[in-house]
Amino acid sequence: MKSFAKPLFFLIYIFCVVSSNAQTQDSAGVSDTTFVNLKDYSKDFIYDMKYASEDNFLKAKVYDCAECFLRLKTVKALIEANKSFIKKGYKIKLYDCYRPLSIQKKMWDIVPNPEYVANPKKGSIHNRGGAVDISLVDASGKELDMGTSFDFFGIEASHNYSKFSKEIISNRKFLKNVMIKNGFNSFDSEWWHYNLKTGLKDKVSNQKWNCN
C-alpha cells in the first residue's frame, strides 16, 4: 500500500498544479496578469477615453492614443459585467483604463495635488491595470444620468450623496451592484471608478503600447 500511495500522491499533486495554472491563463496561454487591449477581446464597449483628448480636468492630452489596456483578469471581469448590462439593454462606456506610470507622472506635473491626481511615488490602481473609469449608455447610445460629469471633484460625485432624483440614485446603484457582483470594488468619492478586487496587490507598471 505504501509503494502505491507515493505515485498516487505525486499524480494528484501534478493535477493540482496543472489545474492551478489553467485558472490563471486563457486558452492562448496568456497569464491573467498580462496587459492586453480590451478591444481584442470584445467589441461591445463604448469608448470616450478622456485623457487621449483635452476634454478632461487637466485640459491636456496625455495619452498618445485612445486605447484601453488592462491586465487580462480585469478584462475578463469587465466583459462579464458588460454582458450583464447588455442583457438589460445597456453597455459600459469607458473613460479611462490602465495608466502607465510615466503618464501618472505627466499628470502630476500638470496638477501636483493628491486631491485630484495620485502621487506617482505611490502609484494608483490605474497604474496597476486593475481600475476602470466608466459609465453606462442605453441602446440608443445615450449616457445614463449619473448626477455629475466624469472627474467632477465635489461631494455630489460621491456614492453617499443622496440629494439627487430617484432616477440618478437608481442609475448609480445599478452600475455599482453589477460591478460588485463581477469582482469589482467601488470608490466612495467617485461614482465612475471601479477597482478589480484581485488587482489591488499587483505591481505598479510602466507598460507601454504602440499606437496604430
Side-chain angles (χ1 to χ4, degrees), residues 47-69 93-100 102-108 110-111 113-118 124-127 131-134 149-153 187 190-193 209 211:
Y47 294 85
D48 184 11
M49 306 298 285
K50 292 296 187 181
Y51 300 118
S53 72
E54 295 182 355
D55 183 22
N56 57 65
F57 80 100
L58 300 170
K59 304 302 179 185
K61 178 182 177 181
V62 293
Y63 288 164
D64 291 332
C65 54
E67 299 289 354
C68 176
F69 275 78
K93 182 177 186 176
L94 293 148
Y95 296 125
D96 197 22
C97 299
Y98 164 63
R99 187 185 304 155
S102 59
I103 301 299
Q104 192 70 39
K105 291 177 180 178
K106 187 183 294 187
M107 293 173 70
W108 181 257
I110 298 171
V111 181
N113 187 331
E115 291 187 11
Y116 306 110
V117 178
S124 74
I125 187 68
H126 274 295
N127 307 138
V132 288
D133 292 335
I134 61 174
S149 60
F150 164 67
D151 265 359
F152 175 86
F153 298 106
F187 190 57
E190 299 176 354
W191 61 260
W192 56 83
H193 182 103
W209 60 86
C211 294

Coordinates of all heavy atoms in Angstrom, one line a residue, residues 47-69 93-100 102-108 110-111 113-118 124-127 131-134 149-153 187 190-193 209 211:
Y47 N -16.3 53.8 -26.2 CA -15.1 54.4 -25.7 C -15.2 56.0 -25.8 O -15.7 56.5 -26.8 CB -13.9 54.0 -26.6 CG -13.6 52.5 -26.5 CD1 -14.2 51.6 -27.2 CD2 -12.6 52.1 -25.6 CE1 -13.9 50.2 -27.1 CE2 -12.3 50.8 -25.4 CZ -12.9 49.8 -26.2 OH -12.6 48.5 -26.1
D48 N -14.8 56.6 -24.7 CA -14.7 58.1 -24.7 C -13.5 58.3 -23.8 O -13.6 58.8 -22.6 CB -15.9 58.7 -24.1 CG -15.9 60.2 -24.1 OD1 -15.0 60.8 -24.7 OD2 -16.7 60.8 -23.4
M49 N -12.3 58.0 -24.3 CA -11.1 58.0 -23.5 C -10.6 59.4 -23.3 O -10.0 60.0 -24.1 CB -10.0 57.1 -24.1 CG -10.4 55.7 -24.4 SD -10.9 54.8 -22.9 CE -9.2 54.5 -22.3
K50 N -11.0 60.0 -22.1 CA -10.9 61.4 -21.9 C -9.4 61.9 -21.9 O -9.2 63.0 -22.4 CB -11.5 61.7 -20.5 CG -13.0 61.6 -20.4 CD -13.7 62.5 -21.4 CE -15.2 62.5 -21.2 NZ -15.9 63.4 -22.1
Y51 N -8.5 61.1 -21.4 CA -7.1 61.6 -21.4 C -6.3 61.5 -22.7 O -5.2 61.9 -22.8 CB -6.3 61.0 -20.2 CG -7.0 61.2 -18.9 CD1 -7.5 60.2 -18.1 CD2 -7.2 62.5 -18.4 CE1 -8.1 60.4 -16.9 CE2 -7.8 62.8 -17.2 CZ -8.3 61.7 -16.5 OH -8.9 61.9 -15.3
A52 N -7.0 61.0 -23.7 CA -6.5 61.0 -25.1 C -7.0 62.2 -25.8 O -6.8 62.3 -27.0 CB -6.9 59.7 -25.8
S53 N -7.6 63.1 -25.1 CA -8.1 64.4 -25.7 C -7.8 65.5 -24.6 O -7.3 65.2 -23.6 CB -9.6 64.3 -26.0 OG -10.3 64.3 -24.8
E54 N -8.3 66.7 -24.9 CA -8.2 67.8 -24.0 C -9.4 67.9 -23.2 O -9.6 68.9 -22.4 CB -7.8 69.1 -24.7 CG -6.4 69.0 -25.3 CD -6.0 70.3 -26.0 OE1 -6.9 71.2 -26.1 OE2 -4.9 70.5 -26.5
D55 N -10.4 67.0 -23.4 CA -11.7 67.1 -22.7 C -11.6 66.4 -21.4 O -12.2 65.3 -21.1 CB -12.8 66.4 -23.6 CG -14.2 66.5 -23.0 OD1 -14.4 67.4 -22.1 OD2 -15.0 65.7 -23.3
N56 N -10.8 67.0 -20.5 CA -10.6 66.5 -19.1 C -10.2 67.6 -18.2 O -10.0 68.7 -18.6 CB -9.6 65.3 -19.1 CG -8.3 65.8 -19.7 OD1 -7.6 66.7 -19.1 ND2 -7.9 65.3 -20.8
F57 N -10.2 67.3 -16.9 CA -9.9 68.4 -15.9 C -8.5 68.9 -16.1 O -8.2 70.1 -15.6 CB -10.2 67.9 -14.5 CG -9.1 67.0 -13.9 CD1 -8.2 67.6 -13.0 CD2 -9.0 65.7 -14.3 CE1 -7.2 66.8 -12.5 CE2 -8.0 64.9 -13.7 CZ -7.0 65.5 -12.8
L58 N -7.6 68.2 -16.7 CA -6.2 68.6 -16.9 C -6.2 69.7 -18.0 O -5.2 70.5 -18.1 CB -5.3 67.5 -17.2 CG -5.2 66.3 -16.2 CD1 -4.4 65.2 -16.9 CD2 -4.4 66.8 -15.0
K59 N -7.2 69.6 -18.9 CA -7.2 70.4 -20.1 C -6.0 70.2 -21.0 O -5.4 71.0 -21.7 CB -7.2 71.9 -19.8 CG -8.4 72.3 -18.9 CD -9.7 71.9 -19.5 CE -10.9 72.3 -18.6 NZ -12.2 71.9 -19.1
A60 N -5.5 68.9 -21.0 CA -4.4 68.5 -21.7 C -4.5 67.0 -22.2 O -5.0 66.2 -21.5 CB -3.1 68.7 -20.9
K61 N -4.0 66.8 -23.4 CA -3.9 65.4 -23.9 C -2.7 64.7 -23.3 O -1.6 65.2 -23.6 CB -3.9 65.4 -25.4 CG -3.8 64.0 -26.0 CD -3.8 64.1 -27.6 CE -3.6 62.7 -28.2 NZ -3.6 62.8 -29.7
V62 N -2.8 63.6 -22.6 CA -1.6 63.0 -22.0 C -1.4 61.6 -22.6 O -0.3 61.0 -22.3 CB -1.7 62.9 -20.5 CG1 -1.6 64.4 -19.9 CG2 -3.0 62.3 -20.0
Y63 N -2.4 61.0 -23.2 CA -2.3 59.7 -23.9 C -2.0 60.0 -25.4 O -2.6 60.9 -26.0 CB -3.5 58.9 -23.8 CG -3.7 58.3 -22.4 CD1 -5.0 57.8 -22.1 CD2 -2.8 58.3 -21.4 CE1 -5.3 57.2 -20.8 CE2 -3.0 57.7 -20.2 CZ -4.2 57.2 -19.9 OH -4.5 56.7 -18.6
D64 N -1.2 59.2 -26.0 CA -0.9 59.3 -27.5 C -2.1 58.8 -28.3 O -2.4 59.3 -29.4 CB 0.3 58.6 -27.9 CG 1.6 59.2 -27.3 OD1 1.6 60.5 -27.1 OD2 2.6 58.5 -27.1
C65 N -2.8 57.9 -27.7 CA -4.0 57.3 -28.5 C -5.0 56.8 -27.5 O -4.7 56.5 -26.3 CB -3.6 56.2 -29.5 SG -2.6 54.9 -28.7
A66 N -6.2 56.6 -28.0 CA -7.4 56.2 -27.1 C -7.5 54.7 -27.1 O -8.4 54.1 -27.7 CB -8.6 56.8 -27.7
E67 N -6.6 54.0 -26.4 CA -6.7 52.6 -26.2 C -7.0 52.2 -24.8 O -6.6 53.0 -23.8 CB -5.3 51.9 -26.6 CG -4.9 52.2 -28.1 CD -5.8 51.4 -29.1 OE1 -6.6 50.6 -28.6 OE2 -5.6 51.6 -30.3
C68 N -7.6 51.1 -24.6 CA -8.0 50.7 -23.2 C -7.2 49.4 -23.0 O -7.6 48.3 -23.3 CB -9.5 50.4 -23.1 SG -9.9 49.7 -21.4
F69 N -6.0 49.5 -22.3 CA -5.3 48.3 -21.9 C -5.5 48.1 -20.4 O -5.7 49.0 -19.6 CB -3.8 48.6 -22.1 CG -3.3 48.3 -23.5 CD1 -3.5 49.2 -24.6 CD2 -2.6 47.1 -23.8 CE1 -3.1 48.9 -25.8 CE2 -2.2 46.8 -25.1 CZ -2.5 47.7 -26.1
K93 N -19.6 52.4 -20.9 CA -18.8 53.4 -21.6 C -17.5 53.7 -20.8 O -17.6 53.9 -19.6 CB -19.6 54.7 -21.7 CG -19.0 55.8 -22.4 CD -19.9 57.0 -22.5 CE -19.3 58.1 -23.4 NZ -20.3 59.2 -23.6
L94 N -16.4 53.6 -21.5 CA -15.1 53.7 -20.8 C -14.5 55.1 -20.9 O -14.4 55.7 -22.0 CB -14.1 52.7 -21.4 CG -14.5 51.3 -21.1 CD1 -14.0 50.4 -22.3 CD2 -13.8 50.8 -19.8
Y95 N -14.0 55.7 -19.8 CA -13.3 57.0 -19.8 C -11.8 56.8 -19.6 O -11.0 57.6 -20.1 CB -13.8 57.8 -18.6 CG -15.3 58.2 -18.7 CD1 -16.2 57.9 -17.7 CD2 -15.8 58.9 -19.9 CE1 -17.5 58.3 -17.8 CE2 -17.1 59.3 -19.9 CZ -18.0 59.0 -18.9 OH -19.3 59.4 -19.0
D96 N -11.4 55.8 -18.8 CA -10.0 55.5 -18.6 C -9.8 54.1 -18.1 O -10.7 53.5 -17.5 CB -9.5 56.5 -17.5 CG -7.9 56.6 -17.5 OD1 -7.3 56.3 -18.5 OD2 -7.4 57.0 -16.5
C97 N -8.6 53.6 -18.4 CA -8.3 52.2 -18.1 C -6.9 52.2 -17.4 O -6.7 52.9 -16.5 CB -8.3 51.3 -19.3 SG -10.0 51.3 -20.2
Y98 N -6.0 51.3 -17.9 CA -4.7 51.3 -17.4 C -4.0 52.6 -17.7 O -4.1 53.1 -18.9 CB -3.9 50.1 -18.0 CG -2.4 50.2 -17.8 CD1 -1.9 50.2 -16.5 CD2 -1.6 50.3 -18.9 CE1 -0.5 50.3 -16.4 CE2 -0.2 50.4 -18.7 CZ 0.3 50.4 -17.5 OH 1.7 50.5 -17.3
R99 N -3.2 53.1 -16.8 CA -2.5 54.3 -16.9 C -1.0 54.1 -16.6 O -0.6 53.8 -15.4 CB -3.0 55.4 -16.0 CG -2.5 56.8 -16.2 CD -3.0 57.7 -15.1 NE -4.5 57.7 -15.2 CZ -5.2 58.0 -14.1 NH1 -4.6 58.3 -12.9 NH2 -6.5 58.0 -14.2
P100 N -0.1 54.0 -17.6 CA 1.3 53.8 -17.4 C 1.9 54.8 -16.3 O 1.4 56.0 -16.3 CB 2.0 54.0 -18.7 CG 0.9 53.7 -19.7 CD -0.4 54.2 -19.1
S102 N 4.5 56.5 -16.3 CA 5.0 57.7 -17.0 C 3.9 58.7 -17.2 O 4.1 60.0 -17.2 CB 5.7 57.4 -18.3 OG 4.8 56.7 -19.2
I103 N 2.7 58.2 -17.5 CA 1.5 59.1 -17.7 C 1.1 59.7 -16.4 O 0.7 60.9 -16.3 CB 0.4 58.4 -18.4 CG1 0.8 57.8 -19.7 CG2 -0.8 59.3 -18.5 CD1 1.2 58.9 -20.7
Q104 N 1.2 58.9 -15.3 CA 0.8 59.4 -14.0 C 1.7 60.5 -13.6 O 1.3 61.5 -13.0 CB 0.9 58.3 -13.0 CG 0.3 58.6 -11.6 CD -1.2 58.6 -11.7 OE1 -1.8 57.9 -12.3 NE2 -1.7 59.6 -10.9
K105 N 3.0 60.4 -13.9 CA 4.0 61.5 -13.6 C 3.7 62.7 -14.4 O 3.8 63.9 -13.9 CB 5.4 61.0 -14.0 CG 5.9 59.9 -13.0 CD 7.3 59.4 -13.4 CE 7.8 58.3 -12.4 NZ 9.1 57.8 -12.8
K106 N 3.3 62.5 -15.7 CA 2.9 63.7 -16.5 C 1.7 64.4 -16.0 O 1.7 65.7 -15.9 CB 2.6 63.2 -18.0 CG 2.4 64.3 -19.0 CD 2.0 63.7 -20.3 CE 3.2 62.9 -21.0 NZ 2.8 62.6 -22.4
M107 N 0.7 63.6 -15.5 CA -0.5 64.2 -14.9 C -0.1 65.0 -13.6 O -0.6 66.1 -13.3 CB -1.5 63.2 -14.6 CG -2.1 62.5 -15.9 SD -3.2 61.1 -15.6 CE -4.6 61.9 -14.8
W108 N 0.8 64.4 -12.8 CA 1.2 65.0 -11.6 C 2.0 66.3 -11.8 O 1.8 67.3 -11.1 CB 2.1 64.0 -10.8 CG 2.6 64.5 -9.5 CD1 3.8 65.0 -9.2 CD2 1.8 64.6 -8.3 NE1 3.9 65.3 -7.9 CE2 2.7 65.1 -7.3 CE3 0.5 64.3 -7.9 CZ2 2.3 65.3 -5.9 CZ3 0.1 64.5 -6.6 CH2 1.0 65.0 -5.6
I110 N 1.3 68.3 -14.2 CA 0.3 69.4 -14.5 C -0.5 69.8 -13.3 O -0.7 71.0 -13.1 CB -0.6 68.8 -15.6 CG1 0.1 68.5 -16.9 CG2 -1.8 69.8 -15.9 CD1 -0.7 67.7 -17.9
V111 N -0.9 68.8 -12.5 CA -1.7 69.1 -11.3 C -1.1 68.3 -10.1 O -1.5 67.2 -9.8 CB -3.2 68.7 -11.5 CG1 -4.0 69.0 -10.2 CG2 -3.8 69.4 -12.7
N113 N -1.4 67.8 -7.1 CA -2.3 67.9 -5.9 C -2.9 66.5 -5.7 O -3.7 66.0 -6.5 CB -3.4 68.9 -6.2 CG -4.3 69.2 -4.9 OD1 -4.5 68.3 -4.1 ND2 -4.8 70.4 -4.8
P114 N -2.7 65.8 -4.5 CA -3.2 64.5 -4.3 C -4.7 64.4 -4.2 O -5.2 63.3 -4.2 CB -2.5 64.1 -3.0 CG -2.1 65.4 -2.3 CD -1.8 66.3 -3.4
E115 N -5.3 65.5 -4.1 CA -6.8 65.5 -4.0 C -7.4 65.2 -5.4 O -8.5 64.8 -5.5 CB -7.3 66.8 -3.5 CG -7.1 67.1 -2.0 CD -7.7 68.3 -1.5 OE1 -8.6 68.9 -2.2 OE2 -7.4 68.8 -0.4
Y116 N -6.6 65.5 -6.4 CA -7.1 65.3 -7.8 C -6.3 64.3 -8.6 O -6.8 63.6 -9.5 CB -7.0 66.7 -8.5 CG -7.7 67.8 -7.8 CD1 -7.0 68.8 -7.2 CD2 -9.1 67.8 -7.8 CE1 -7.7 69.8 -6.6 CE2 -9.8 68.8 -7.1 CZ -9.1 69.8 -6.5 OH -9.7 70.8 -5.9
V117 N -5.0 64.1 -8.3 CA -4.1 63.2 -9.0 C -3.3 62.4 -8.0 O -2.7 62.9 -7.1 CB -3.2 63.9 -10.0 CG1 -2.2 62.9 -10.7 CG2 -3.9 64.8 -11.0
A118 N -3.3 61.1 -8.2 CA -2.5 60.2 -7.3 C -1.0 60.5 -7.5 O -0.5 60.7 -8.6 CB -2.7 58.7 -7.6
S124 N -1.2 54.4 -8.3 CA -2.6 54.1 -8.1 C -3.0 52.8 -8.7 O -2.2 52.2 -9.4 CB -3.5 55.2 -8.7 OG -3.6 55.1 -10.1
I125 N -4.2 52.3 -8.5 CA -4.7 51.1 -9.0 C -4.8 51.2 -10.6 O -4.6 50.2 -11.3 CB -6.1 50.7 -8.4 CG1 -6.5 49.3 -8.9 CG2 -7.1 51.7 -8.7 CD1 -5.7 48.2 -8.4
H126 N -4.9 52.4 -11.1 CA -4.9 52.6 -12.5 C -3.5 52.3 -13.1 O -3.4 51.7 -14.2 CB -5.2 54.1 -12.9 CG -6.6 54.5 -13.0 ND1 -7.4 53.9 -14.0 CD2 -7.4 55.3 -12.3 CE1 -8.7 54.4 -13.8 NE2 -8.7 55.2 -12.8
N127 N -2.5 52.5 -12.3 CA -1.1 52.2 -12.7 C -0.8 50.7 -12.6 O 0.2 50.2 -13.0 CB -0.1 53.0 -11.9 CG -0.3 54.5 -11.9 OD1 -0.2 55.1 -10.8 ND2 -0.7 55.0 -13.0
A131 N -8.0 49.1 -12.7 CA -9.0 50.1 -12.5 C -9.6 50.5 -13.8 O -8.9 50.6 -14.8 CB -8.5 51.2 -11.7
V132 N -10.9 50.9 -13.7 CA -11.6 51.5 -14.9 C -12.4 52.6 -14.4 O -13.0 52.6 -13.3 CB -12.4 50.5 -15.7 CG1 -11.6 49.5 -16.4 CG2 -13.4 49.7 -14.7
D133 N -12.5 53.6 -15.2 CA -13.5 54.7 -15.0 C -14.6 54.6 -16.1 O -14.3 54.6 -17.3 CB -12.8 56.1 -15.2 CG -11.8 56.3 -14.1 OD1 -11.9 55.8 -13.0 OD2 -10.8 57.1 -14.3
I134 N -15.8 54.4 -15.6 CA -16.9 54.0 -16.5 C -18.2 54.7 -16.3 O -18.4 55.3 -15.2 CB -17.1 52.5 -16.5 CG1 -17.5 52.1 -15.1 CG2 -15.9 51.7 -16.9 CD1 -17.9 50.6 -15.0
S149 N -20.7 65.0 -14.1 CA -19.9 64.5 -15.2 C -18.7 63.7 -14.6 O -18.5 63.6 -13.4 CB -19.3 65.7 -15.9 OG -18.5 66.5 -15.1
F150 N -18.0 63.0 -15.5 CA -16.8 62.3 -15.1 C -15.8 63.3 -14.6 O -15.6 64.4 -15.1 CB -16.3 61.5 -16.3 CG -14.8 61.1 -16.2 CD1 -14.5 60.1 -15.3 CD2 -13.9 61.6 -17.0 CE1 -13.2 59.6 -15.2 CE2 -12.5 61.2 -16.9 CZ -12.2 60.2 -16.0
D151 N -15.0 62.9 -13.6 CA -14.0 63.7 -13.0 C -14.5 65.0 -12.4 O -13.8 66.0 -12.4 CB -12.8 64.0 -14.0 CG -11.7 63.0 -13.8 OD1 -11.8 62.1 -12.9 OD2 -10.7 63.0 -14.5
F152 N -15.7 64.9 -11.9 CA -16.2 66.1 -11.1 C -15.8 66.0 -9.7 O -16.0 65.0 -9.0 CB -17.8 66.1 -11.2 CG -18.4 67.2 -10.3 CD1 -18.6 68.4 -10.9 CD2 -18.8 66.9 -9.0 CE1 -19.2 69.4 -10.1 CE2 -19.4 67.9 -8.3 CZ -19.6 69.2 -8.8
F153 N -15.0 67.0 -9.2 CA -14.5 67.0 -7.9 C -15.3 67.7 -6.9 O -15.1 68.9 -6.6 CB -13.0 67.5 -7.9 CG -12.1 66.7 -8.8 CD1 -11.7 67.1 -10.0 CD2 -11.7 65.4 -8.4 CE1 -10.9 66.4 -10.8 CE2 -10.9 64.6 -9.2 CZ -10.5 65.1 -10.4
F187 N -15.4 53.1 -5.5 CA -14.6 54.1 -4.8 C -15.5 55.2 -4.3 O -16.2 55.8 -5.1 CB -13.6 54.7 -5.8 CG -12.5 55.5 -5.2 CD1 -11.7 55.1 -4.2 CD2 -12.3 56.8 -5.7 CE1 -10.7 55.9 -3.7 CE2 -11.3 57.7 -5.1 CZ -10.5 57.2 -4.1
E190 N -16.0 58.7 -6.0 CA -16.1 58.8 -7.4 C -17.0 57.7 -8.0 O -16.7 56.5 -8.0 CB -14.7 58.7 -8.1 CG -13.7 59.8 -7.7 CD -12.3 59.5 -8.3 OE1 -12.1 58.5 -8.9 OE2 -11.5 60.4 -8.1
W191 N -18.2 58.1 -8.4 CA -19.2 57.1 -8.8 C -18.7 56.3 -10.0 O -19.2 55.2 -10.3 CB -20.5 57.8 -9.1 CG -20.5 58.8 -10.2 CD1 -20.5 60.1 -10.1 CD2 -20.5 58.6 -11.6 NE1 -20.4 60.8 -11.3 CE2 -20.5 59.8 -12.3 CE3 -20.6 57.4 -12.4 CZ2 -20.5 60.0 -13.7 CZ3 -20.6 57.6 -13.8 CH2 -20.5 58.8 -14.4
W192 N -17.8 56.8 -10.8 CA -17.3 56.2 -12.1 C -16.2 55.2 -11.9 O -15.8 54.5 -12.8 CB -16.9 57.3 -13.0 CG -15.8 58.2 -12.4 CD1 -14.5 58.0 -12.4 CD2 -16.0 59.5 -11.8 NE1 -13.8 59.0 -11.8 CE2 -14.7 60.0 -11.4 CE3 -17.1 60.3 -11.5 CZ2 -14.6 61.2 -10.7 CZ3 -17.0 61.5 -10.9 CH2 -15.7 61.9 -10.5
H193 N -15.5 55.2 -10.7 CA -14.3 54.5 -10.6 C -14.5 53.1 -9.9 O -15.1 53.0 -8.8 CB -13.3 55.3 -9.7 CG -12.0 54.7 -9.5 ND1 -10.8 55.1 -10.1 CD2 -11.6 53.6 -8.7 CE1 -9.8 54.4 -9.8 NE2 -10.2 53.5 -8.9
W209 N 2.3 50.9 -24.8 CA 1.7 50.2 -26.0 C 2.0 51.1 -27.3 O 2.1 52.4 -27.1 CB 0.2 50.0 -25.9 CG -0.6 51.2 -25.6 CD1 -1.2 52.0 -26.6 CD2 -1.0 51.7 -24.4 NE1 -1.9 53.0 -26.0 CE2 -1.8 52.8 -24.6 CE3 -0.8 51.3 -23.0 CZ2 -2.4 53.6 -23.6 CZ3 -1.4 52.1 -22.0 CH2 -2.2 53.2 -22.3
C211 N 0.7 52.9 -30.7 CA -0.5 53.4 -31.3 C -0.5 53.1 -32.8 O 0.4 53.5 -33.5 CB -0.6 54.9 -31.1 SG -0.7 55.4 -29.3

